[in-house]
Amino acid sequence: MKYALVTGGSRGIGRAIAIQIAKDLKYPVLINYQSNDAAANETKKNIEEEGGSCTVLKFDVSNIDNTRSVLDQWIVKNPDATIEIIVNNAGITRDGLLMWMKPEDWNDVLDISLKGFYNVTNHLLQKMLTNRYGRIINVVSVSGVKGTAGQVNYSAAKGALVAATKALAQEVAKRKITVNAVAPGFIKTDMTAAMDEKELKKMIPVNRFGEAEEVADLVSFLASKKASYITGEVININGGIYS
């Protein structure tokens, strides 16, 4: 049985991606989340109501022992399973000017996005290489390609993930594994709920915030066999604000 894993899949963009992959590609989906049981179960319910299959896996992607332990327990229970798609979506923001930034606000943001990518992908990559097929999609941000004032930590984390995407793509391409990144701009989620959309959308050529489902459609395409000749790419999805 082939599976897709979406980290940070309980809410927002991660939830939309999990639902879309289940719907479009018919993969059973593993939802990783850290703390919000209700949101994770809501995503599971949404997928199952559409006729899909979903399992929730609670672990902290920034903690290597926790990540490996939970994944290994699942693998032991599902010995014939292969995780063919990894969507590294987990991320947090702790915005503020660098001058005033606390060490934990720097570390936490980099640990979730960047260490999380390593902890999950490193642990599952060997089986992908053995099976000679895989799709790895990293959810980055316009902040990681453009840089955003007040988000030096987030920009650093996502910018590093952009570079990691390009490097890993070259390492695994011969084994039919593609590695790509999507870089959303302003998307309607809990993370942007406190932002002044009316004011900010003036900066966006299409004059609106994006929908999580629009990002999910792009990720679903990159996770499909149709995208087999696309690798090492960073695809901006931001309404024209930056390219």
Side-chain angles (χ1 to χ4, degrees), residues 212-226:
E213 290 74 19
E214 292 175 302
V215 180
D217 280 332
L218 173 57
V219 173
S220 179
F221 168 71
L222 291 172
S224 75
K225 288 185 168 63
K226 293 178 181 178

mmCIF file with all atom_site columns, all heavy atoms in Angstrom, residues 212-226:
data_model
loop_
_atom_site.group_PDB
_atom_site.id
_atom_site.type_symbol
_atom_site.label_atom_id
_atom_site.label_alt_id
_atom_site.label_comp_id
_atom_site.label_asym_id
_atom_site.label_entity_id
_atom_site.label_seq_id
_atom_site.pdbx_PDB_ins_code
_atom_site.Cartn_x
_atom_site.Cartn_y
_atom_site.Cartn_z
_atom_site.occupancy
_atom_site.B_iso_or_equiv
_atom_site.pdbx_formal_charge
_atom_site.auth_seq_id
_atom_site.auth_comp_id
_atom_site.auth_asym_id
_atom_site.auth_atom_id
_atom_site.pdbx_PDB_model_num
ATOM 1   N N   . ALA A 1 212 ? -6.310  28.387 0.616   1.00 0.00 ? 212 ALA A N   1
ATOM 2   C CA  . ALA A 1 212 ? -5.480  27.206 0.904   1.00 0.00 ? 212 ALA A CA  1
ATOM 3   C C   . ALA A 1 212 ? -5.654  26.139 -0.174  1.00 0.00 ? 212 ALA A C   1
ATOM 4   O O   . ALA A 1 212 ? -4.700  25.435 -0.527  1.00 0.00 ? 212 ALA A O   1
ATOM 5   C CB  . ALA A 1 212 ? -5.834  26.646 2.272   1.00 0.00 ? 212 ALA A CB  1
ATOM 6   N N   . GLU A 1 213 ? -6.861  26.043 -0.709  1.00 0.00 ? 213 GLU A N   1
ATOM 7   C CA  . GLU A 1 213 ? -7.142  25.035 -1.739  1.00 0.00 ? 213 GLU A CA  1
ATOM 8   C C   . GLU A 1 213 ? -6.355  25.293 -3.021  1.00 0.00 ? 213 GLU A C   1
ATOM 9   O O   . GLU A 1 213 ? -6.050  24.347 -3.762  1.00 0.00 ? 213 GLU A O   1
ATOM 10  C CB  . GLU A 1 213 ? -8.646  25.003 -2.050  1.00 0.00 ? 213 GLU A CB  1
ATOM 11  C CG  . GLU A 1 213 ? -9.517  24.442 -0.935  1.00 0.00 ? 213 GLU A CG  1
ATOM 12  C CD  . GLU A 1 213 ? -9.683  25.386 0.256   1.00 0.00 ? 213 GLU A CD  1
ATOM 13  O OE1 . GLU A 1 213 ? -9.436  26.616 0.104   1.00 0.00 ? 213 GLU A OE1 1
ATOM 14  O OE2 . GLU A 1 213 ? -10.055 24.892 1.345   1.00 0.00 ? 213 GLU A OE2 1
ATOM 15  N N   . GLU A 1 214 ? -6.026  26.551 -3.292  1.00 0.00 ? 214 GLU A N   1
ATOM 16  C CA  . GLU A 1 214 ? -5.240  26.866 -4.487  1.00 0.00 ? 214 GLU A CA  1
ATOM 17  C C   . GLU A 1 214 ? -3.804  26.353 -4.339  1.00 0.00 ? 214 GLU A C   1
ATOM 18  O O   . GLU A 1 214 ? -3.206  25.851 -5.301  1.00 0.00 ? 214 GLU A O   1
ATOM 19  C CB  . GLU A 1 214 ? -5.275  28.377 -4.748  1.00 0.00 ? 214 GLU A CB  1
ATOM 20  C CG  . GLU A 1 214 ? -6.658  28.853 -5.160  1.00 0.00 ? 214 GLU A CG  1
ATOM 21  C CD  . GLU A 1 214 ? -6.756  30.368 -5.315  1.00 0.00 ? 214 GLU A CD  1
ATOM 22  O OE1 . GLU A 1 214 ? -6.473  31.102 -4.345  1.00 0.00 ? 214 GLU A OE1 1
ATOM 23  O OE2 . GLU A 1 214 ? -7.133  30.827 -6.409  1.00 0.00 ? 214 GLU A OE2 1
ATOM 24  N N   . VAL A 1 215 ? -3.267  26.473 -3.146  1.00 0.00 ? 215 VAL A N   1
ATOM 25  C CA  . VAL A 1 215 ? -1.942  25.913 -2.866  1.00 0.00 ? 215 VAL A CA  1
ATOM 26  C C   . VAL A 1 215 ? -2.008  24.387 -2.947  1.00 0.00 ? 215 VAL A C   1
ATOM 27  O O   . VAL A 1 215 ? -1.128  23.731 -3.517  1.00 0.00 ? 215 VAL A O   1
ATOM 28  C CB  . VAL A 1 215 ? -1.425  26.349 -1.481  1.00 0.00 ? 215 VAL A CB  1
ATOM 29  C CG1 . VAL A 1 215 ? -0.044  25.758 -1.216  1.00 0.00 ? 215 VAL A CG1 1
ATOM 30  C CG2 . VAL A 1 215 ? -1.385  27.872 -1.376  1.00 0.00 ? 215 VAL A CG2 1
ATOM 31  N N   . ALA A 1 216 ? -3.070  23.822 -2.388  1.00 0.00 ? 216 ALA A N   1
ATOM 32  C CA  . ALA A 1 216 ? -3.237  22.362 -2.372  1.00 0.00 ? 216 ALA A CA  1
ATOM 33  C C   . ALA A 1 216 ? -3.300  21.788 -3.784  1.00 0.00 ? 216 ALA A C   1
ATOM 34  O O   . ALA A 1 216 ? -2.751  20.703 -4.045  1.00 0.00 ? 216 ALA A O   1
ATOM 35  C CB  . ALA A 1 216 ? -4.492  21.993 -1.589  1.00 0.00 ? 216 ALA A CB  1
ATOM 36  N N   . ASP A 1 217 ? -3.952  22.477 -4.702  1.00 0.00 ? 217 ASP A N   1
ATOM 37  C CA  . ASP A 1 217 ? -4.028  22.005 -6.095  1.00 0.00 ? 217 ASP A CA  1
ATOM 38  C C   . ASP A 1 217 ? -2.629  21.912 -6.715  1.00 0.00 ? 217 ASP A C   1
ATOM 39  O O   . ASP A 1 217 ? -2.324  20.956 -7.439  1.00 0.00 ? 217 ASP A O   1
ATOM 40  C CB  . ASP A 1 217 ? -4.887  22.955 -6.934  1.00 0.00 ? 217 ASP A CB  1
ATOM 41  C CG  . ASP A 1 217 ? -6.386  22.715 -6.749  1.00 0.00 ? 217 ASP A CG  1
ATOM 42  O OD1 . ASP A 1 217 ? -6.767  21.570 -6.439  1.00 0.00 ? 217 ASP A OD1 1
ATOM 43  O OD2 . ASP A 1 217 ? -7.164  23.671 -6.914  1.00 0.00 ? 217 ASP A OD2 1
ATOM 44  N N   . LEU A 1 218 ? -1.800  22.896 -6.429  1.00 0.00 ? 218 LEU A N   1
ATOM 45  C CA  . LEU A 1 218 ? -0.429  22.897 -6.956  1.00 0.00 ? 218 LEU A CA  1
ATOM 46  C C   . LEU A 1 218 ? 0.386   21.750 -6.357  1.00 0.00 ? 218 LEU A C   1
ATOM 47  O O   . LEU A 1 218 ? 1.089   21.025 -7.073  1.00 0.00 ? 218 LEU A O   1
ATOM 48  C CB  . LEU A 1 218 ? 0.241   24.243 -6.648  1.00 0.00 ? 218 LEU A CB  1
ATOM 49  C CG  . LEU A 1 218 ? 1.731   24.365 -6.988  1.00 0.00 ? 218 LEU A CG  1
ATOM 50  C CD1 . LEU A 1 218 ? 1.994   24.073 -8.460  1.00 0.00 ? 218 LEU A CD1 1
ATOM 51  C CD2 . LEU A 1 218 ? 2.242   25.749 -6.606  1.00 0.00 ? 218 LEU A CD2 1
ATOM 52  N N   . VAL A 1 219 ? 0.277   21.567 -5.051  1.00 0.00 ? 219 VAL A N   1
ATOM 53  C CA  . VAL A 1 219 ? 1.012   20.484 -4.381  1.00 0.00 ? 219 VAL A CA  1
ATOM 54  C C   . VAL A 1 219 ? 0.545   19.130 -4.900  1.00 0.00 ? 219 VAL A C   1
ATOM 55  O O   . VAL A 1 219 ? 1.367   18.240 -5.166  1.00 0.00 ? 219 VAL A O   1
ATOM 56  C CB  . VAL A 1 219 ? 0.847   20.571 -2.851  1.00 0.00 ? 219 VAL A CB  1
ATOM 57  C CG1 . VAL A 1 219 ? 1.472   19.354 -2.170  1.00 0.00 ? 219 VAL A CG1 1
ATOM 58  C CG2 . VAL A 1 219 ? 1.479   21.853 -2.316  1.00 0.00 ? 219 VAL A CG2 1
ATOM 59  N N   . SER A 1 220 ? -0.755  18.967 -5.082  1.00 0.00 ? 220 SER A N   1
ATOM 60  C CA  . SER A 1 220 ? -1.305  17.715 -5.585  1.00 0.00 ? 220 SER A CA  1
ATOM 61  C C   . SER A 1 220 ? -0.757  17.391 -6.973  1.00 0.00 ? 220 SER A C   1
ATOM 62  O O   . SER A 1 220 ? -0.416  16.236 -7.267  1.00 0.00 ? 220 SER A O   1
ATOM 63  C CB  . SER A 1 220 ? -2.835  17.792 -5.619  1.00 0.00 ? 220 SER A CB  1
ATOM 64  O OG  . SER A 1 220 ? -3.383  16.605 -6.132  1.00 0.00 ? 220 SER A OG  1
ATOM 65  N N   . PHE A 1 221 ? -0.639  18.406 -7.816  1.00 0.00 ? 221 PHE A N   1
ATOM 66  C CA  . PHE A 1 221 ? -0.053  18.199 -9.148  1.00 0.00 ? 221 PHE A CA  1
ATOM 67  C C   . PHE A 1 221 ? 1.408   17.755 -9.037  1.00 0.00 ? 221 PHE A C   1
ATOM 68  O O   . PHE A 1 221 ? 1.829   16.785 -9.681  1.00 0.00 ? 221 PHE A O   1
ATOM 69  C CB  . PHE A 1 221 ? -0.159  19.474 -9.991  1.00 0.00 ? 221 PHE A CB  1
ATOM 70  C CG  . PHE A 1 221 ? 0.666   19.409 -11.252 1.00 0.00 ? 221 PHE A CG  1
ATOM 71  C CD1 . PHE A 1 221 ? 0.285   18.589 -12.302 1.00 0.00 ? 221 PHE A CD1 1
ATOM 72  C CD2 . PHE A 1 221 ? 1.831   20.156 -11.376 1.00 0.00 ? 221 PHE A CD2 1
ATOM 73  C CE1 . PHE A 1 221 ? 1.061   18.505 -13.457 1.00 0.00 ? 221 PHE A CE1 1
ATOM 74  C CE2 . PHE A 1 221 ? 2.612   20.077 -12.529 1.00 0.00 ? 221 PHE A CE2 1
ATOM 75  C CZ  . PHE A 1 221 ? 2.217   19.257 -13.571 1.00 0.00 ? 221 PHE A CZ  1
ATOM 76  N N   . LEU A 1 222 ? 2.185   18.446 -8.199  1.00 0.00 ? 222 LEU A N   1
ATOM 77  C CA  . LEU A 1 222 ? 3.597   18.094 -8.044  1.00 0.00 ? 222 LEU A CA  1
ATOM 78  C C   . LEU A 1 222 ? 3.779   16.697 -7.450  1.00 0.00 ? 222 LEU A C   1
ATOM 79  O O   . LEU A 1 222 ? 4.796   16.037 -7.683  1.00 0.00 ? 222 LEU A O   1
ATOM 80  C CB  . LEU A 1 222 ? 4.310   19.127 -7.162  1.00 0.00 ? 222 LEU A CB  1
ATOM 81  C CG  . LEU A 1 222 ? 4.486   20.520 -7.775  1.00 0.00 ? 222 LEU A CG  1
ATOM 82  C CD1 . LEU A 1 222 ? 5.019   21.492 -6.732  1.00 0.00 ? 222 LEU A CD1 1
ATOM 83  C CD2 . LEU A 1 222 ? 5.418   20.470 -8.990  1.00 0.00 ? 222 LEU A CD2 1
ATOM 84  N N   . ALA A 1 223 ? 2.790   16.241 -6.683  1.00 0.00 ? 223 ALA A N   1
ATOM 85  C CA  . ALA A 1 223 ? 2.844   14.908 -6.071  1.00 0.00 ? 223 ALA A CA  1
ATOM 86  C C   . ALA A 1 223 ? 2.414   13.811 -7.041  1.00 0.00 ? 223 ALA A C   1
ATOM 87  O O   . ALA A 1 223 ? 2.565   12.631 -6.740  1.00 0.00 ? 223 ALA A O   1
ATOM 88  C CB  . ALA A 1 223 ? 1.960   14.869 -4.834  1.00 0.00 ? 223 ALA A CB  1
ATOM 89  N N   . SER A 1 224 ? 1.910   14.204 -8.199  1.00 0.00 ? 224 SER A N   1
ATOM 90  C CA  . SER A 1 224 ? 1.385   13.225 -9.158  1.00 0.00 ? 224 SER A CA  1
ATOM 91  C C   . SER A 1 224 ? 2.456   12.772 -10.143 1.00 0.00 ? 224 SER A C   1
ATOM 92  O O   . SER A 1 224 ? 3.540   13.356 -10.233 1.00 0.00 ? 224 SER A O   1
ATOM 93  C CB  . SER A 1 224 ? 0.208   13.852 -9.938  1.00 0.00 ? 224 SER A CB  1
ATOM 94  O OG  . SER A 1 224 ? 0.702   14.774 -10.907 1.00 0.00 ? 224 SER A OG  1
ATOM 95  N N   . LYS A 1 225 ? 2.129   11.747 -10.904 1.00 0.00 ? 225 LYS A N   1
ATOM 96  C CA  . LYS A 1 225 ? 3.052   11.247 -11.935 1.00 0.00 ? 225 LYS A CA  1
ATOM 97  C C   . LYS A 1 225 ? 3.179   12.240 -13.092 1.00 0.00 ? 225 LYS A C   1
ATOM 98  O O   . LYS A 1 225 ? 4.141   12.179 -13.859 1.00 0.00 ? 225 LYS A O   1
ATOM 99  C CB  . LYS A 1 225 ? 2.582   9.879  -12.431 1.00 0.00 ? 225 LYS A CB  1
ATOM 100 C CG  . LYS A 1 225 ? 2.805   8.764  -11.397 1.00 0.00 ? 225 LYS A CG  1
ATOM 101 C CD  . LYS A 1 225 ? 2.456   7.395  -11.947 1.00 0.00 ? 225 LYS A CD  1
ATOM 102 C CE  . LYS A 1 225 ? 2.955   6.273  -11.042 1.00 0.00 ? 225 LYS A CE  1
ATOM 103 N NZ  . LYS A 1 225 ? 2.355   6.247  -9.714  1.00 0.00 ? 225 LYS A NZ  1
ATOM 104 N N   . LYS A 1 226 ? 2.222   13.147 -13.218 1.00 0.00 ? 226 LYS A N   1
ATOM 105 C CA  . LYS A 1 226 ? 2.272   14.146 -14.291 1.00 0.00 ? 226 LYS A CA  1
ATOM 106 C C   . LYS A 1 226 ? 3.459   15.089 -14.146 1.00 0.00 ? 226 LYS A C   1
ATOM 107 O O   . LYS A 1 226 ? 3.890   15.721 -15.111 1.00 0.00 ? 226 LYS A O   1
ATOM 108 C CB  . LYS A 1 226 ? 0.975   14.975 -14.293 1.00 0.00 ? 226 LYS A CB  1
ATOM 109 C CG  . LYS A 1 226 ? -0.261  14.198 -14.680 1.00 0.00 ? 226 LYS A CG  1
ATOM 110 C CD  . LYS A 1 226 ? -1.493  15.092 -14.610 1.00 0.00 ? 226 LYS A CD  1
ATOM 111 C CE  . LYS A 1 226 ? -2.751  14.323 -14.965 1.00 0.00 ? 226 LYS A CE  1
ATOM 112 N NZ  . LYS A 1 226 ? -3.960  15.173 -14.864 1.00 0.00 ? 226 LYS A NZ  1
#
